[in-house]
Amino acid sequence: MSAIRSRRDFSRIYTRGHRGRSDGITAFVVATEPTERRLGLAVSKAHGTAVVRNRVRRRLKAAFAHSGVPLGTDVVLRPDPGITVQFQELVNHIEMAVTRAVGAK
């Protein structure tokens, strides 16, 4: 799993991708080469201090790694401020949001 970091990639995913949502997680998904899956995170300052935002990013990265998101997808996750769920619930919400985004085609 590699990271999406460039502004151009984020813009491409926001404009060309499909959006899916599940209880506090919004996923933007674009199909890419079937050899990899990439993750981008959009965690706003509304979540709190830098320490809190980094904790949210670490949890999202770990949950995405444990999720069953297929290869060949670029995913940008945007959590709502104040989301507090257990780890397995977070994995389930990510999978559901990505599934809904892929189904929105």
XYZ file of all heavy atoms in Angstrom:
812
model
N 0.850 -1.170 0.000
C 0.000 0.000 0.000
C 0.896 1.234 0.000
O 1.772 1.378 0.835
C -0.873 -0.023 1.257
C -1.721 1.199 1.399
S -2.741 1.204 2.873
C -1.538 1.544 4.141
N 0.667 2.092 -0.963
C 1.420 3.337 -1.013
C 0.493 4.513 -0.722
O -0.725 4.356 -0.655
C 2.100 3.500 -2.374
O 1.137 3.510 -3.398
N 1.090 5.673 -0.572
C 0.323 6.851 -0.165
C 0.079 7.788 -1.338
O 0.897 7.883 -2.253
C 1.071 7.598 0.924
N -1.040 8.466 -1.302
C -1.348 9.527 -2.246
C -0.955 10.823 -1.562
O -1.456 11.142 -0.486
C -2.848 9.531 -2.595
C -3.225 8.217 -3.253
C -3.186 10.718 -3.479
C -4.715 8.031 -3.413
N -0.053 11.569 -2.174
C 0.453 12.775 -1.533
C 0.294 14.034 -2.373
O 0.215 15.122 -1.837
C 1.923 12.608 -1.169
C 2.147 11.501 -0.163
C 3.596 11.498 0.284
N 3.910 10.305 1.033
C 3.732 10.180 2.332
N 3.234 11.155 3.019
N 4.060 9.065 2.943
N 0.278 13.915 -3.690
C 0.285 15.118 -4.526
C -1.108 15.733 -4.650
O -2.123 15.036 -4.655
C 0.831 14.801 -5.915
O -0.099 14.052 -6.652
N -1.131 17.030 -4.774
C -2.373 17.770 -4.929
C -3.085 17.335 -6.209
O -4.311 17.250 -6.249
C -2.096 19.265 -4.960
C -3.335 20.112 -5.113
C -3.009 21.582 -5.141
N -2.476 22.077 -3.901
C -3.229 22.586 -2.921
N -4.521 22.656 -3.051
N -2.670 23.025 -1.812
N -2.315 17.040 -7.244
C -2.897 16.618 -8.516
C -3.658 15.295 -8.367
O -4.753 15.136 -8.902
C -1.825 16.472 -9.577
C -2.418 16.146 -10.927
C -1.447 15.956 -12.052
N -0.071 16.266 -11.793
C 0.909 15.995 -12.626
N 0.652 15.416 -13.777
N 2.156 16.281 -12.342
N -3.101 14.355 -7.630
C -3.776 13.075 -7.408
C -5.060 13.262 -6.590
O -6.090 12.662 -6.886
C -2.858 12.084 -6.703
C -1.804 11.500 -7.632
O -1.998 11.558 -8.869
O -0.794 10.983 -7.124
N -4.986 14.090 -5.539
C -6.186 14.354 -4.742
C -7.272 14.993 -5.613
O -8.436 14.587 -5.558
C -5.864 15.268 -3.551
C -5.393 14.524 -2.329
C -4.045 14.341 -2.091
C -6.296 14.016 -1.417
C -3.598 13.662 -0.970
C -5.874 13.335 -0.288
C -4.524 13.156 -0.068
N -6.901 15.980 -6.409
C -7.879 16.644 -7.281
C -8.484 15.673 -8.278
O -9.692 15.704 -8.536
C -7.218 17.800 -8.032
O -6.805 18.786 -7.140
N -7.652 14.801 -8.847
C -8.140 13.804 -9.809
C -9.149 12.875 -9.153
O -10.202 12.582 -9.719
C -6.965 12.993 -10.366
C -7.373 11.898 -11.334
C -6.158 11.107 -11.812
N -5.386 10.512 -10.733
C -5.670 9.337 -10.168
N -6.700 8.632 -10.578
N -4.918 8.868 -9.193
N -8.866 12.448 -7.954
C -9.761 11.519 -7.266
C -11.061 12.220 -6.881
O -12.148 11.656 -7.021
C -9.060 10.898 -6.049
C -7.925 10.001 -6.524
C -10.040 10.109 -5.194
C -6.996 9.544 -5.448
N -10.967 13.469 -6.411
C -12.184 14.202 -6.043
C -13.073 14.466 -7.250
O -14.298 14.390 -7.152
C -11.844 15.532 -5.369
C -11.392 15.408 -3.931
C -10.360 16.201 -3.442
C -11.979 14.514 -3.049
C -9.946 16.106 -2.129
C -11.573 14.406 -1.750
C -10.556 15.207 -1.285
O -10.150 15.108 0.018
N -12.481 14.780 -8.411
C -13.301 15.135 -9.576
C -13.766 13.918 -10.369
O -14.909 13.877 -10.812
C -12.546 16.092 -10.516
O -11.320 15.480 -10.927
C -12.280 17.410 -9.838
N -12.914 12.932 -10.553
C -13.266 11.767 -11.375
C -13.795 10.588 -10.577
O -14.375 9.665 -11.135
C -12.052 11.294 -12.170
C -11.585 12.278 -13.188
C -10.460 11.710 -14.001
N -9.865 12.740 -14.840
C -8.706 12.639 -15.426
N -7.983 11.544 -15.260
N -8.239 13.606 -16.161
N -13.567 10.614 -9.279
C -13.938 9.468 -8.457
C -15.393 9.463 -8.052
O -16.141 10.415 -8.278
N -15.777 8.360 -7.459
C -17.129 8.194 -6.931
C -17.061 8.261 -5.415
O -16.081 7.842 -4.806
C -17.714 6.859 -7.382
C -17.858 6.770 -8.854
N -18.883 7.364 -9.534
C -17.085 6.182 -9.793
C -18.760 7.129 -10.815
N -17.662 6.415 -11.003
N -18.141 8.768 -4.826
C -18.151 8.983 -3.377
C -19.089 7.996 -2.701
O -20.196 7.741 -3.168
C -18.598 10.398 -3.075
C -18.603 10.719 -1.604
C -18.960 12.142 -1.365
N -20.301 12.404 -1.905
C -20.964 13.519 -1.713
N -20.424 14.489 -1.035
N -22.157 13.672 -2.215
N -18.619 7.467 -1.587
C -19.434 6.596 -0.755
C -19.277 7.012 0.692
O -18.251 7.533 1.088
N -20.313 6.779 1.477
C -20.290 7.230 2.870
C -20.815 6.135 3.785
O -21.716 5.397 3.420
C -21.163 8.474 2.985
C -21.146 9.085 4.333
C -21.591 10.532 4.259
N -21.793 11.072 5.582
C -20.820 11.345 6.428
N -19.586 11.159 6.071
N -21.070 11.813 7.625
N -20.229 6.074 4.993
C -20.692 5.129 5.997
C -20.368 5.664 7.380
O -19.199 5.693 7.774
C -20.029 3.768 5.806
O -20.410 2.892 6.835
N -21.372 6.119 8.096
C -21.276 6.528 9.509
C -19.977 7.248 9.886
O -19.177 6.735 10.663
C -21.463 5.325 10.425
C -22.886 4.813 10.400
O -23.776 5.583 10.001
O -23.099 3.656 10.784
N -19.753 8.405 9.340
C -18.614 9.202 9.743
C -17.397 9.101 8.855
O -16.406 9.794 9.083
N -17.425 8.255 7.849
C -16.307 8.117 6.922
C -16.826 8.357 5.510
O -17.805 7.732 5.089
C -15.676 6.704 6.973
C -15.129 6.387 8.348
C -14.600 6.542 5.916
C -13.854 7.107 8.695
N -16.172 9.245 4.781
C -16.480 9.454 3.376
C -15.290 8.954 2.570
O -14.145 9.295 2.873
C -16.727 10.940 3.066
O -17.767 11.418 3.911
C -17.126 11.140 1.621
N -15.561 8.137 1.561
C -14.510 7.584 0.712
C -14.719 8.042 -0.719
O -15.825 7.973 -1.248
C -14.522 6.066 0.771
N -13.652 8.521 -1.332
C -13.635 8.850 -2.748
C -12.761 7.798 -3.420
O -11.620 7.586 -3.003
C -13.047 10.246 -2.974
C -13.860 11.338 -2.359
C -13.653 11.715 -1.042
C -14.832 11.981 -3.084
C -14.400 12.735 -0.466
C -15.587 12.998 -2.520
C -15.372 13.369 -1.209
N -13.290 7.138 -4.470
C -12.615 5.981 -5.048
C -12.488 6.145 -6.558
O -13.440 6.539 -7.226
C -13.391 4.683 -4.738
C -12.701 3.483 -5.346
C -13.548 4.505 -3.242
N -11.297 5.814 -7.083
C -11.030 5.790 -8.514
C -10.321 4.478 -8.824
O -9.421 4.066 -8.092
C -10.134 6.978 -8.940
C -9.610 6.799 -10.343
C -10.882 8.278 -8.820
N -10.721 3.832 -9.913
C -10.056 2.602 -10.348
C -8.734 2.952 -11.028
O -8.646 3.924 -11.778
C -10.948 1.830 -11.301
N -7.701 2.165 -10.738
C -6.372 2.379 -11.320
C -5.808 1.046 -11.777
O -6.547 0.087 -11.976
C -5.416 3.012 -10.293
O -5.300 2.136 -9.175
C -5.891 4.376 -9.861
N -4.492 0.974 -11.889
C -3.829 -0.271 -12.272
C -4.119 -1.356 -11.242
O -4.119 -1.095 -10.045
C -2.323 -0.057 -12.354
C -1.901 0.982 -13.361
C -0.410 1.228 -13.308
O 0.317 0.382 -12.754
O 0.015 2.265 -13.827
N -4.362 -2.576 -11.693
C -4.743 -3.643 -10.744
C -3.601 -4.193 -9.908
O -3.757 -5.204 -9.249
C -5.323 -4.718 -11.657
C -4.708 -4.478 -12.976
C -4.447 -2.999 -13.071
N -2.451 -3.541 -9.896
C -1.316 -4.079 -9.152
C -1.124 -3.443 -7.784
O -0.339 -3.946 -6.988
C -0.017 -3.882 -9.947
O 0.148 -2.482 -10.209
C -0.069 -4.652 -11.252
N -1.812 -2.334 -7.502
C -1.613 -1.678 -6.216
C -2.890 -0.986 -5.755
O -3.818 -0.787 -6.527
C -0.480 -0.649 -6.289
C -0.785 0.539 -7.166
C 0.332 1.570 -7.152
O 1.265 1.456 -6.346
O 0.250 2.510 -7.943
N -2.901 -0.627 -4.490
C -3.963 0.221 -3.958
C -3.284 1.324 -3.169
O -2.306 1.099 -2.452
C -4.945 -0.566 -3.096
C -4.367 -1.163 -1.858
C -5.412 -1.919 -1.100
N -4.835 -2.382 0.157
C -5.522 -2.895 1.117
N -6.818 -3.038 0.986
N -4.945 -3.279 2.225
N -3.802 2.538 -3.351
C -3.187 3.695 -2.701
C -4.206 4.384 -1.808
O -5.399 4.366 -2.084
C -2.662 4.680 -3.735
C -1.602 4.082 -4.625
C -0.917 5.077 -5.519
N -1.823 6.004 -6.165
C -1.450 7.187 -6.650
N -0.199 7.584 -6.556
N -2.329 7.970 -7.243
N -3.701 5.000 -0.744
C -4.553 5.653 0.239
C -4.128 7.100 0.420
O -2.950 7.401 0.572
C -4.450 4.935 1.596
C -5.150 5.600 2.780
C -6.663 5.610 2.562
C -4.796 4.878 4.055
N -5.112 7.988 0.415
C -4.912 9.386 0.760
C -5.821 9.722 1.928
O -6.937 9.209 2.024
N -5.362 10.586 2.813
C -6.149 10.951 3.986
C -6.363 12.457 4.013
O -5.430 13.226 3.789
C -5.433 10.511 5.269
C -5.217 9.014 5.397
C -4.339 8.713 6.594
C -6.535 8.298 5.515
N -7.589 12.865 4.289
C -7.935 14.276 4.407
C -8.516 14.499 5.797
O -9.713 14.350 6.016
C -8.942 14.666 3.328
N -7.651 14.821 6.738
C -8.051 15.028 8.130
C -7.919 16.521 8.418
O -6.821 17.072 8.417
C -7.170 14.207 9.096
C -7.608 14.414 10.525
C -7.228 12.732 8.734
N -9.039 17.187 8.669
C -9.043 18.638 8.826
C -8.672 19.058 10.248
O -8.654 18.247 11.179
C -10.421 19.192 8.483
O -11.348 18.814 9.473
N -8.425 20.346 10.401
C -8.096 20.892 11.711
C -9.278 20.852 12.669
O -9.114 21.066 13.865
C -7.586 22.326 11.578
C -6.205 22.397 10.991
C -5.673 23.807 11.041
C -4.263 23.847 10.507
N -3.700 25.210 10.574
N -10.466 20.588 12.156
C -11.640 20.471 13.019
C -11.535 19.271 13.963
O -12.252 19.197 14.959
C -12.903 20.348 12.178
N -10.631 18.342 13.667
C -10.437 17.169 14.526
C -9.708 17.525 15.812
O -9.793 16.794 16.785
C -9.660 16.085 13.785
C -10.468 15.382 12.762
N -11.306 14.345 13.051
C -10.586 15.586 11.438
C -11.897 13.930 11.958
N -11.484 14.678 10.962
N -8.952 18.615 15.793
C -8.250 19.018 17.002
C -6.803 19.357 16.729
O -6.430 19.747 15.623
N -5.985 19.153 17.733
C -4.569 19.490 17.631
C -3.853 18.525 16.704
O -4.410 17.506 16.280
C -3.915 19.431 19.024
O -3.976 18.079 19.497
C -4.599 20.365 20.002
N -2.599 18.821 16.405
C -1.808 17.976 15.522
C -1.667 16.558 16.082
O -1.662 15.584 15.327
C -0.425 18.590 15.302
N -1.570 16.449 17.390
C -1.452 15.129 18.012
C -2.704 14.304 17.731
O -2.619 13.128 17.353
C -1.229 15.277 19.537
C -1.268 13.930 20.228
C 0.084 15.978 19.814
N -3.857 14.903 17.874
C -5.121 14.199 17.634
C -5.260 13.841 16.154
O -5.647 12.724 15.810
C -6.316 15.058 18.106
C -7.632 14.418 17.724
C -6.234 15.284 19.600
N -4.944 14.787 15.267
C -5.048 14.521 13.821
C -4.124 13.388 13.405
O -4.509 12.521 12.611
C -4.731 15.785 13.028
C -5.774 16.860 13.177
C -5.605 17.958 12.154
N -4.292 18.557 12.112
C -3.903 19.628 12.808
N -4.756 20.210 13.647
N -2.681 20.112 12.678
N -2.910 13.357 13.943
C -1.978 12.280 13.600
C -2.454 10.934 14.136
O -2.273 9.910 13.489
C -0.575 12.601 14.112
C 0.082 13.663 13.271
O -0.130 13.725 12.058
N 0.874 14.516 13.901
N -3.083 10.926 15.304
C -3.644 9.689 15.834
C -4.758 9.182 14.921
O -4.842 7.988 14.630
C -4.182 9.900 17.245
C -4.691 8.602 17.868
C -5.227 8.798 19.278
N -4.265 9.478 20.117
C -4.538 10.555 20.852
N -5.748 11.072 20.850
N -3.608 11.112 21.603
N -5.602 10.088 14.444
C -6.673 9.718 13.518
C -6.069 9.135 12.238
O -6.525 8.105 11.733
C -7.575 10.932 13.199
C -8.522 10.634 12.058
C -8.336 11.354 14.443
N -5.021 9.782 11.720
C -4.371 9.267 10.504
C -3.786 7.867 10.717
O -3.932 6.999 9.859
C -3.261 10.224 10.067
C -3.754 11.479 9.434
C -2.579 12.306 8.904
N -3.015 13.626 8.590
C -2.788 14.705 9.333
N -2.094 14.614 10.451
N -3.247 15.880 8.967
N -3.125 7.660 11.841
C -2.542 6.339 12.119
C -3.610 5.265 12.201
O -3.446 4.164 11.671
C -1.727 6.373 13.419
C -0.402 7.066 13.291
C 0.493 6.807 14.495
N -0.137 7.141 15.761
C -0.090 8.335 16.348
N 0.560 9.323 15.772
N -0.672 8.541 17.500
N -4.735 5.569 12.868
C -5.826 4.594 12.977
C -6.429 4.295 11.604
O -6.745 3.137 11.302
C -6.913 5.099 13.921
C -6.473 5.081 15.374
C -7.631 5.298 16.298
N -8.463 4.098 16.303
C -9.765 4.114 16.491
N -10.408 5.248 16.669
N -10.449 2.991 16.497
N -6.608 5.328 10.779
C -7.179 5.116 9.449
C -6.248 4.280 8.573
O -6.704 3.399 7.838
C -7.480 6.456 8.769
C -8.687 7.208 9.302
C -8.745 8.601 8.697
C -9.968 6.449 9.023
N -4.946 4.551 8.645
C -3.987 3.757 7.866
C -4.025 2.292 8.280
O -4.034 1.393 7.440
C -2.565 4.290 8.046
C -2.280 5.551 7.309
C -0.846 5.987 7.586
C -0.583 7.374 7.076
N 0.781 7.829 7.403
N -4.037 2.037 9.575
C -4.069 0.657 10.065
C -5.373 -0.028 9.677
O -5.370 -1.194 9.260
C -3.876 0.628 11.571
N -6.494 0.676 9.805
C -7.786 0.090 9.454
C -7.867 -0.188 7.958
O -8.398 -1.216 7.538
C -8.919 1.019 9.883
N -7.327 0.705 7.140
C -7.317 0.488 5.688
C -6.464 -0.723 5.340
O -6.821 -1.515 4.467
C -6.800 1.735 4.968
C -6.864 1.647 3.477
C -8.074 1.823 2.825
C -5.737 1.394 2.730
C -8.153 1.743 1.446
C -5.796 1.317 1.356
C -7.014 1.488 0.705
N -5.335 -0.894 6.024
C -4.468 -2.047 5.770
C -5.166 -3.364 6.116
O -4.935 -4.383 5.476
C -3.176 -1.916 6.564
N -6.047 -3.346 7.132
C -6.770 -4.549 7.531
C -8.056 -4.765 6.736
O -8.687 -5.802 6.865
C -7.109 -4.495 9.024
C -5.948 -4.819 9.894
N -5.054 -3.862 10.298
C -5.538 -5.981 10.433
C -4.134 -4.433 11.052
N -4.404 -5.719 11.148
N -8.450 -3.783 5.965
C -9.718 -3.887 5.241
C -9.542 -4.741 3.985
O -8.424 -5.009 3.550
C -10.236 -2.500 4.855
O -9.424 -1.942 3.853
N -10.647 -5.111 3.424
C -10.634 -5.930 2.224
C -10.788 -5.120 0.944
O -11.363 -5.601 -0.024
N -10.268 -3.900 0.941
C -10.348 -3.060 -0.257
C -9.488 -3.703 -1.339
O -8.320 -4.011 -1.104
C -9.872 -1.623 0.050
C -9.854 -0.782 -1.207
C -10.760 -0.998 1.105
N -10.058 -3.913 -2.533
C -9.322 -4.650 -3.570
C -8.175 -3.842 -4.168
O -8.130 -2.609 -4.075
C -10.394 -4.920 -4.620
C -11.385 -3.837 -4.435
C -11.387 -3.523 -2.975
N -7.251 -4.561 -4.792
C -6.171 -3.915 -5.532
C -6.768 -3.165 -6.715
O -7.851 -3.481 -7.190
C -5.170 -4.950 -6.032
C -4.353 -5.679 -4.971
C -3.495 -6.744 -5.627
C -3.502 -4.713 -4.194
N -6.047 -2.178 -7.205
C -6.507 -1.425 -8.351
C -7.414 -0.271 -7.988
O -8.226 0.162 -8.800
N -7.270 0.256 -6.780
C -8.095 1.384 -6.367
C -7.242 2.459 -5.713
O -6.294 2.167 -4.988
C -9.185 0.970 -5.361
O -8.582 0.289 -4.268
C -10.225 0.086 -5.984
N -7.576 3.700 -6.007
C -7.062 4.841 -5.270
C -8.200 5.313 -4.377
O -9.306 5.552 -4.853
C -6.663 5.976 -6.212
C -5.315 5.753 -6.873
O -4.636 4.771 -6.510
O -4.950 6.549 -7.742
N -7.938 5.438 -3.091
C -8.967 5.794 -2.126
C -8.509 7.003 -1.318
O -7.380 7.020 -0.824
C -9.265 4.619 -1.164
C -10.299 5.006 -0.137
C -9.683 3.393 -1.924
N -9.384 8.004 -1.204
C -9.156 9.117 -0.286
C -10.223 9.009 0.788
O -11.417 8.979 0.488
C -9.238 10.479 -1.002
C -9.197 11.608 0.010
C -8.102 10.633 -1.995
N -9.790 8.933 2.042
C -10.714 8.851 3.174
C -10.790 10.206 3.864
O -9.761 10.835 4.133
C -10.249 7.801 4.179
C -10.230 6.365 3.685
C -9.673 5.456 4.768
C -11.607 5.915 3.270
N -12.016 10.633 4.151
C -12.246 11.893 4.862
C -13.165 11.598 6.041
O -14.369 11.443 5.873
C -12.868 12.915 3.923
C -12.953 14.292 4.536
C -13.393 15.309 3.538
N -14.757 15.011 3.122
C -15.346 15.557 2.080
N -14.698 16.396 1.321
N -16.590 15.246 1.792
N -12.594 11.500 7.262
C -13.423 11.219 8.437
C -14.111 12.487 8.946
O -13.602 13.595 8.785
C -12.418 10.705 9.454
C -11.155 11.405 9.094
C -11.177 11.551 7.593
N -15.270 12.306 9.545
C -15.959 13.419 10.194
C -15.277 13.726 11.522
O -14.775 12.810 12.188
C -17.421 13.072 10.461
C -18.241 12.957 9.202
O -17.771 13.425 8.140
O -19.360 12.413 9.275
N -15.255 14.993 11.929
C -14.679 15.319 13.240
C -15.459 14.639 14.359
O -16.674 14.516 14.311
C -14.841 16.842 13.328
C -14.989 17.296 11.922
C -15.662 16.172 11.194
N -14.733 14.168 15.338
C -15.369 13.571 16.507
C -15.777 12.126 16.335
O -16.490 11.588 17.175
N -15.336 11.461 15.273
C -15.693 10.051 15.091
C -14.946 9.224 16.136
O -13.737 9.319 16.276
C -15.394 9.572 13.663
C -15.837 8.141 13.484
C -13.937 9.732 13.314
C -15.796 7.637 12.060
N -15.710 8.454 16.902
C -15.120 7.587 17.924
C -15.764 6.220 17.818
O -16.890 6.013 18.254
C -15.352 8.147 19.340
O -16.751 8.344 19.519
C -14.630 9.467 19.541
N -15.055 5.295 17.198
C -15.542 3.925 17.052
C -14.396 2.969 17.348
O -13.225 3.340 17.300
C -16.100 3.656 15.628
C -17.336 4.470 15.370
C -15.062 3.915 14.566
N -14.758 1.748 17.651
C -13.761 0.714 17.873
C -13.064 0.393 16.551
O -13.567 0.691 15.475
C -14.428 -0.546 18.424
C -15.052 -0.356 19.786
C -14.016 -0.041 20.842
O -12.927 -0.605 20.849
N -14.343 0.882 21.728
N -11.899 -0.243 16.641
C -11.084 -0.487 15.453
C -11.819 -1.331 14.419
O -11.824 -1.003 13.238
C -9.762 -1.157 15.852
C -8.833 -1.359 14.695
C -8.122 -0.290 14.191
C -8.686 -2.604 14.111
C -7.261 -0.455 13.123
C -7.838 -2.784 13.046
C -7.115 -1.709 12.543
N -12.446 -2.414 14.831
C -13.136 -3.284 13.876
C -14.308 -2.556 13.216
O -14.577 -2.751 12.044
C -13.615 -4.573 14.547
C -14.158 -5.589 13.564
C -13.156 -5.957 12.483
O -11.985 -6.205 12.756
N -13.601 -5.975 11.240
N -14.991 -1.706 13.969
C -16.064 -0.905 13.383
C -15.510 0.053 12.339
O -16.136 0.278 11.301
C -16.793 -0.101 14.459
C -17.683 -0.908 15.358
C -18.366 -0.006 16.365
O -19.265 0.748 15.951
O -17.975 -0.056 17.542
N -14.329 0.623 12.613
C -13.687 1.514 11.658
C -13.349 0.773 10.369
O -13.593 1.280 9.268
C -12.430 2.128 12.279
C -11.703 3.195 11.484
C -12.625 4.384 11.218
C -10.461 3.646 12.230
N -12.828 -0.440 10.491
C -12.540 -1.264 9.306
C -13.831 -1.520 8.527
O -13.860 -1.380 7.296
C -11.872 -2.597 9.718
C -11.776 -3.544 8.535
C -10.511 -2.351 10.336
N -14.906 -1.862 9.226
C -16.181 -2.125 8.564
C -16.725 -0.874 7.872
O -17.263 -0.961 6.762
C -17.212 -2.651 9.569
C -16.841 -4.008 10.106
O -16.061 -4.743 9.508
N -17.385 -4.345 11.263
N -16.599 0.292 8.502
C -17.073 1.536 7.896
C -16.277 1.879 6.636
O -16.847 2.342 5.649
C -17.006 2.692 8.882
C -18.016 2.619 9.981
N -19.339 2.298 9.767
C -17.901 2.827 11.313
C -19.983 2.311 10.910
N -19.129 2.619 11.874
N -14.972 1.653 6.666
C -14.145 1.908 5.485
C -14.571 0.990 4.347
O -14.760 1.427 3.204
C -12.646 1.746 5.813
C -12.185 2.892 6.720
C -11.811 1.693 4.544
C -10.795 2.723 7.264
N -14.735 -0.302 4.642
C -15.153 -1.249 3.603
C -16.514 -0.876 3.034
O -16.724 -0.935 1.818
C -15.176 -2.668 4.168
C -13.812 -3.240 4.435
C -13.874 -4.600 5.111
O -14.949 -4.999 5.613
O -12.820 -5.274 5.139
N -17.453 -0.490 3.890
C -18.786 -0.127 3.437
C -18.757 1.141 2.579
O -19.412 1.211 1.533
C -19.720 0.088 4.625
C -21.137 0.420 4.227
S -21.954 -0.863 3.259
C -22.166 -2.109 4.508
N -17.992 2.145 2.986
C -17.909 3.388 2.216
C -17.289 3.139 0.844
O -17.779 3.664 -0.169
C -17.095 4.429 2.983
N -16.245 2.310 0.789
C -15.609 1.998 -0.497
C -16.564 1.186 -1.371
O -16.689 1.436 -2.576
C -14.274 1.264 -0.281
C -13.725 0.718 -1.590
C -13.268 2.195 0.364
N -17.271 0.238 -0.780
C -18.247 -0.572 -1.531
C -19.340 0.317 -2.112
O -19.736 0.152 -3.271
C -18.858 -1.642 -0.624
O -17.814 -2.470 -0.109
C -19.849 -2.492 -1.384
N -19.831 1.258 -1.321
C -20.876 2.165 -1.820
C -20.345 3.064 -2.919
O -21.060 3.388 -3.862
C -21.425 2.999 -0.665
C -22.273 2.191 0.265
C -22.780 3.007 1.411
N -23.635 2.197 2.271
C -24.062 2.568 3.456
N -23.739 3.755 3.939
N -24.835 1.769 4.171
N -19.101 3.489 -2.813
C -18.510 4.336 -3.854
C -18.323 3.549 -5.153
O -18.600 4.071 -6.230
C -17.166 4.892 -3.394
N -17.882 2.320 -5.045
C -17.693 1.491 -6.243
C -19.055 1.173 -6.870
O -19.206 1.159 -8.087
C -16.937 0.204 -5.895
C -16.934 -0.771 -7.051
C -15.510 0.542 -5.471
N -20.065 0.986 -6.044
C -21.410 0.705 -6.536
C -22.086 1.925 -7.146
O -23.075 1.789 -7.852
N -21.546 3.128 -6.884
C -22.160 4.354 -7.399
C -21.850 4.590 -8.870
O -22.324 5.531 -9.461
C -21.671 5.551 -6.576
N -21.016 3.747 -9.454
C -20.657 3.907 -10.861
C -21.880 3.737 -11.662
O -22.379 3.958 -12.518
C -19.607 2.898 -11.291
C -18.293 3.115 -10.622
C -17.308 2.089 -11.057
C -15.974 2.273 -10.369
N -15.011 1.296 -10.714
